[in-house]
């Protein structure tokens, strides 16, 4: 059955990537062994790992000043681990609370012995906007400022990634890596993202860290008593195979990154995301639907809106399901509708959804 799947993550993979994975699954390397069984010390896996590092660097447009590593698990693991690489007890760090995931990241650091400055608190406006970053009062000696570039639940995103002079950025790009070309690398200490939205499946996260800070973190993590398996320098030294890596997730990420590359790379993904977003926001703005966020910080991936009543929300979701338009219910603490379109959602699915919105408005608006 052909469906249009708008899940907020794990998210759709392009059909050709799904088919490729299916075809390669049982004998991935031509030696009669599947990628699910291959030893991570085999030369086949070592080659896959190296190729994936190279294609990740190309697709994410990472300069030579930064190192890349793959870490098992999701992005949340890094909420408490990142600050232990970049700051020592008592030091000042700056955080922003712009949504569900940013809030969880804040909770984790407030439990650490750091002077944490909450420089923007989106709870005060129910997370409908990202404020004006240039007005934020950030202590100059902050070791870094943490930003969540795209807020998956509330549907907000920085139109350009802000910078703050000499204060290094730490960017949660879980729902934006491989879809934005404007990462200000010279100002960026660290980027982290789990793969299951824009460039792969669940089970692996990518960490991209400034080389000098990676070196410095060898001492800092010792003082913070961070275990080896959580230390980015140790994972980097072990070529991302310190623990047994999530081999299948890395394989799937490899195939998805290659698809992105062959499709025109991150510039093409960015362009398509903006076009898909334009189609849906035009429908939201045409009446009946009520967009949740300020227009100047709308997400290019997560479109959050509602209808005038909860009954109409439910009716809309049920009607959409009849057209095989699936997984559009809003997040549990937000309600309404959330339609997510990452790199794997094709332009045709976006236009089918926009058309459905138009027809629904004509019929019920
Ligand atoms: C922006 C952002 N950060 C972090 C997370 C948590 O990711 P994970 O489930 O991989 O831990 C999510 C999940 O949706 C997210 O959207």
């Amino acid at each position: 059955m052909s469906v249009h799947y708008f899940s907020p993550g794990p998210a759709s993979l392009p059909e050709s990537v799904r088919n490729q994975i299916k075809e390669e699954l049982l004998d991935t390397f031509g030696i009669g062994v599947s990628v699910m069984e291959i030893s991570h010390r085999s030369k086949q896996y070592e080659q896959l790992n190296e190729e994936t590092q190279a294609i990740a660097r190309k697709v994410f447009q990472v300069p030579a000043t930064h190192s890349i590593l793959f870490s098992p698990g999701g992005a949340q693991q890094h909420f408490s681990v990142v600050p232990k690489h970049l700051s020592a007890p008592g030091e000042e760090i700056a955080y922003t609370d712009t949504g569900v995931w940013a809030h969880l990241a804040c909770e984790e650091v407030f439990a650490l012995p750091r002077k944490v400055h909450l420089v923007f608190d989106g709870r005060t406006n129910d997370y409908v906007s990202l404020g004006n970053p240039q007005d934020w009062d950030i202590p100059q000696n902050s070791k870094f400022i943490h930003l969540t570039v795209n807020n998956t639940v509330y549907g907000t995103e920085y139109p350009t990634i802000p910078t703050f002079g000499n204060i290094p950025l730490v960017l949660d790009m879980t729902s934006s890596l491989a879809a934005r070309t404007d990462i200000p690398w010279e100002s960026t200490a660290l980027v982290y993202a789990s793969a299951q939205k824009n460039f792969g499946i669940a089970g692996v996260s990518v960490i991209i860290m400034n080389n000098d800070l990676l070196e410095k973190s060898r001492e800092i993590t010792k003082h913070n008593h961070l275990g080896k398996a959580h230390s980015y320098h140790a994972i980097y030294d072990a070529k991302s195979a310190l623990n047994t890596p999530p081999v299948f997730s890395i394989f799937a990420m490899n195939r998805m990154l290659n698809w992105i590359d062959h499709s025109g790379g991150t510039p093409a993904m960015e362009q398509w995301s903006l076009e898909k977003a334009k189609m849906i926001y035009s429908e939201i703005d045409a009446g009946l639907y009520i967009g949740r966020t300020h227009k100047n910080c709308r997400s290019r991936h997560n479109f959050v809106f509602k209808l005038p009543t909860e009954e109409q929300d439910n009716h809309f979701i049920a009607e959409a399901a009849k057209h095989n338009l699936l997984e559009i219910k809003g997040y549990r603490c937000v309600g309404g509708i959330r339609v997510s379109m990452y790199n794997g959602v094709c332009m045709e699915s976006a236009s089918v959804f926009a058309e459905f919105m138009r027809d629904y408005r004509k019929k019920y608006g």
Side-chain angles (χ1 to χ4, degrees):
M1 183 173 64
S2 160
V3 298
H4 302 279
Y5 198 64
F6 302 109
S7 159
S12 292
L13 294 170
E15 204 177 338
S16 62
V17 173
R18 282 195 295 158
N19 283 333
Q20 187 183 6
I21 291 172
K22 182 178 149 203
E23 274 161 30
E24 293 183 89
L25 192 61
L26 297 185
D27 185 4
T28 316
F29 305 96
I31 55 167
V33 175
S34 87
V35 68
M36 299 174 290
E37 306 153 298
I38 194 90
S39 162
H40 62 296
R41 304 290 175 214
S42 64
K43 69 175 187 318
Q44 287 83 3
Y45 178 72
E46 276 177 12
Q47 192 180 338
L48 175 73
N49 187 29
E50 267 169 38
E51 282 172 15
T52 313
Q53 288 278 338
I55 192 71
R57 185 173 282 283
K58 184 174 180 204
V59 167
F60 302 144
Q61 305 181 310
V62 180
T65 48
H66 287 66
S67 302
I68 304 178
L69 57 102
F70 305 144
S71 156
Q76 272 198 71
Q77 268 91 325
H78 302 283
F79 290 169
S80 66
V81 173
V82 164
K84 291 180 187 164
H85 282 78
L86 295 169
S87 64
E91 287 185 326
E92 311 211 46
I93 54 180
Y95 269 70
T96 49
D97 183 346
T98 51
V100 166
W101 302 108
H103 183 77
L104 286 174
C106 290
E107 277 185 353
E108 299 251 359
V109 290
F110 273 108
L112 296 177
R114 304 285 186 280
K115 287 185 193 138
V116 187
H117 298 269
L118 188 59
V119 298
F120 177 74
D121 187 352
R123 286 174 299 180
T124 57
N125 69 11
D126 204 16
Y127 296 120
V128 295
S129 85
L130 299 170
N132 184 359
Q134 299 320 321
D135 293 343
W136 296 345
D137 188 12
I138 310 167
Q140 274 314 303
N141 52 352
S142 299
K143 289 290 162 186
F144 64 89
I145 175 167
H146 180 277
L147 305 176
T148 307
V149 173
N150 179 72
N151 296 281
T152 319
V153 170
Y154 291 101
T156 55
E157 181 172 14
Y158 296 99
T160 51
I161 299 175
T163 54
F164 305 92
N166 291 330
I167 302 169
L169 300 175
V170 169
L171 305 174
D172 176 352
M173 293 195 70
T174 295
S175 47
S176 21
L177 192 60
R180 290 192 67 136
T181 54
D182 65 338
I183 301 171
W185 289 109
E186 60 296 339
S187 306
T188 300
L190 192 147
V191 168
Y192 65 98
S194 45
Q196 67 270 18
K197 297 181 197 288
N198 271 315
F199 58 90
I201 64 167
V204 62
S205 296
V206 170
I207 309 291
I208 307 172
M209 191 167 176
N210 172 276
N211 300 337
D212 296 338
L213 294 172
L214 186 65
E215 275 313 305
K216 278 191 192 146
S217 74
R218 292 180 190 276
E219 273 308 302
I220 301 175
T221 50
K222 250 189 242 164
H223 292 305
N224 288 325
H225 307 290
L226 192 64
K228 196 172 171 189
H230 298 292
S231 296
Y232 300 146
H233 47 83
I235 300 174
Y236 177 79
D237 292 346
K239 297 196 164 92
S240 299
L242 181 73
N243 329 72
T244 309
V247 171
F248 181 68
S249 301
I250 288 171
F251 163 72
M253 177 167 76
N254 176 297
R255 296 313 186 243
M256 183 61 187
L257 287 171
N258 273 292
W259 176 87
I260 293 173
D261 187 38
H262 292 142
S263 307
T266 295
M269 298 302 116
E270 179 167 61
Q271 185 57 34
W272 291 347
S273 296
L274 294 171
E275 282 173 31
K276 287 182 267 181
K278 198 170 161 201
M279 268 190 241
I280 305 304
Y281 287 124
S282 307
E283 293 307 323
I284 292 177
D285 291 339
L288 180 64
Y289 307 108
I290 305 159
R292 192 178 191 284
T293 67
H294 287 188
K295 288 187 182 173
N296 66 359
C297 57
R298 282 173 156 176
S299 167
R300 67 190 70 185
H301 295 300
N302 312 100
F303 318 123
V304 183
F305 59 94
K306 62 179 183 173
L307 285 93
T309 67
E310 203 180 323
E311 286 69 37
Q312 283 170 293
D313 286 340
N314 292 335
H315 182 255
F316 180 89
I317 293 167
E319 286 298 305
K322 288 184 196 161
H323 291 76
N324 290 333
L325 304 168
L326 304 180
E327 209 57 53
I328 61 166
K329 197 170 163 42
Y331 190 78
R332 50 191 180 274
C333 66
V334 179
I337 321 277
R338 171 175 54 165
V339 183
S340 300
M341 297 185 190
Y342 299 106
N343 288 343
V345 173
C346 62
M347 205 60 89
E348 191 209 333
S349 290
S351 73
V352 169
F353 196 82
E355 206 176 307
F356 170 76
M357 289 179 79
R358 205 170 313 136
D359 292 346
Y360 187 93
R361 185 179 51 249
K362 282 191 194 138
K363 202 161 166 194
Y364 301 103

